[in-house]
């Protein structure tokens, strides 16, 4: 599977209901249809219950649709689970793995993340690996290396992956991580990812919204570090507001 060169996306987490999801999808379709690029370079990671509807509405515009989770288990007697074959068959091309909210609220471990990455990649779904240090001031590389290893130990070197740098301390925060910090970590991440043989994209997430990508890109240029500029941003709250998501998409496309 190929990945778009630029990737600007949203995980609406568990903010949506049946009604608000329909309005959100309608507003995205409407906004994207007004742009020449339509859904090119846009991705969404939806709750599994909204996957089929999201694919139906957004995939025709070229939006890459994925999920926020994937079962670590195969097809079989695992009540409540959404196996990777099922998700892939419904049109999922991405699956988020390793989000700190999965650790905090659901007790997921690096072993579980590895098993989920294996299941996703085995079904042709690109893992969106969420990595980042838990506290402000912690050494990002010391944390990120084992996070990457947990997944890369389980998937082929040529499997496509998206790496979302999301420092835990910047998720659900008042502001995103400082742009210069993001540039430094993303530049190092690209070095750590250099031996991947398949497509790799690096995005930034954590209180991102309109203005975040432009600020990071400006910091990367000012530092003379183009490799520190991510391939896009990954929104949570700010993207649940369709206007905020569309504004961010326009900004990334024009930066
Ligand atoms: O966790 C996130 C995306 O996965 C980001 O969430 P917020 O943008 O709401 O901080």
């Amino acid at each position: 599977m190929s990945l778009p060169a630029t990737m600007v996306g949203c995980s609406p987490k568990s903010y949506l209901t049946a009604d608000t999801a329909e309005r959100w999808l309608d507003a995205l379709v409407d906004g994207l249809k007004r742009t020449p690029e339509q859904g090119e370079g846009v991705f969404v990671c939806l709750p599994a219950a909204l996957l089929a509807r999201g694919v139906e509405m957004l995939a025709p515009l070229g939006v890459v649709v994925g999920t926020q989770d994937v079962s670590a288990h195969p097809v079989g007697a695992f009540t409540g689970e959404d196996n990777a074959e099922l998700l892939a068959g419904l049109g999922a091309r991405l699956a988020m793995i390793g989000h700190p909210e999965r650790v905090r609220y659901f007790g997921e471990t690096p072993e579980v993340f590895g098993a989920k990455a294996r299941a996703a990649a085995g079904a042709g779904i690109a893992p969106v690996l969420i990595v980042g240090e838990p506290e402000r001031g912690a050494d990002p590389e010391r944390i990120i290396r084992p996070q990457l290893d947990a997944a890369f130990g389980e998937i082929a070197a040529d499997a496509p992956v998206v790496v979302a740098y999301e420092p835990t301390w910047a998720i659900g925060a008042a502001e995103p991580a400082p742009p210069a910090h993001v540039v430094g970590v993303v530049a190092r991440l690209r070095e750590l990812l250099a031996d991947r043989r398949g497509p790799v994209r690096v995005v930034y997430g954590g209180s991102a919204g309109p203005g975040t990508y432009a600020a990071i890109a400006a910091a990367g240029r000012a530092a003379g570090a183009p490799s520190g500029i991510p391939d896009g941003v990954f929104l949570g709250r700010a993207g649940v507001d369709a206007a905020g998501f569309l504004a961010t998409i326009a900004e990334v496309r024009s930066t």
Side-chain angles (χ1 to χ4, degrees):
M1 187 185 97
S2 61
L3 293 170
T6 296
M7 293 188 70
V8 49
C10 175
S11 159
K13 305 198 182 193
S14 196
Y15 283 113
L16 299 175
T17 61
D19 287 349
T20 60
E22 201 63 24
R23 286 203 289 278
W24 184 72
L25 289 167
D26 272 340
L28 291 181
V29 168
D30 200 50
L32 291 173
K33 275 190 171 163
R34 292 169 200 272
T35 68
E37 302 91 344
Q38 305 243 318
E40 172 67 32
V42 177
F43 71 101
V44 292
C45 290
L46 301 174
L50 287 173
L51 173 62
R53 185 70 178 134
V55 168
E56 182 186 355
M57 293 187 70
L58 296 173
L61 299 176
V63 175
V64 177
V65 181
T67 55
Q68 296 170 15
D69 194 15
V70 55
S71 178
H73 300 284
V75 175
F78 302 101
T79 300
E81 289 289 272
D82 297 305
N83 70 68
E85 294 291 337
L86 169 65
L87 300 176
L90 291 172
R93 295 175 58 199
L94 304 170
M96 293 171 69
I97 294 165
H99 195 284
E101 286 156 17
R102 300 297 311 174
V103 177
R104 185 167 171 201
Y105 300 117
F106 307 102
E108 292 192 2
T109 61
E111 291 70 33
V112 170
F113 295 148
K116 289 186 171 189
R118 184 175 61 229
I125 294 174
V128 179
L129 303 173
I130 315 293
V131 302
E133 72 279 13
E135 283 127 26
R136 196 187 277 266
D139 174 7
E141 184 167 340
R142 200 176 58 77
I143 305 292
I144 288 173
R145 264 181 188 273
Q147 288 173 329
L148 291 174
D149 289 346
F152 293 161
E154 302 293 335
I155 64 176
D158 59 357
V161 288
V162 179
V163 177
Y165 172 52
E166 297 200 32
T168 308
W169 50 272
I171 296 173
E175 289 180 3
H181 175 84
V182 176
V183 166
V185 176
V186 169
R188 184 67 189 123
L189 252 177
R190 291 202 200 272
E191 290 170 4
L192 296 175
L193 295 166
D195 58 354
R196 296 290 310 163
R197 294 205 303 272
V200 180
R201 302 290 179 268
V202 179
V203 297
Y204 168 78
S207 304
T212 305
Y213 189 76
I216 298 170
R221 285 193 294 269
S227 72
I229 302 174
D231 303 310
V233 279
F234 191 16
L235 313 187
R237 285 159 299 157
V240 177
D241 166 26
F245 190 14
L246 291 164
T248 308
I249 292 166
E251 174 186 312
V252 173
R253 285 174 172 169
S254 66
T255 300

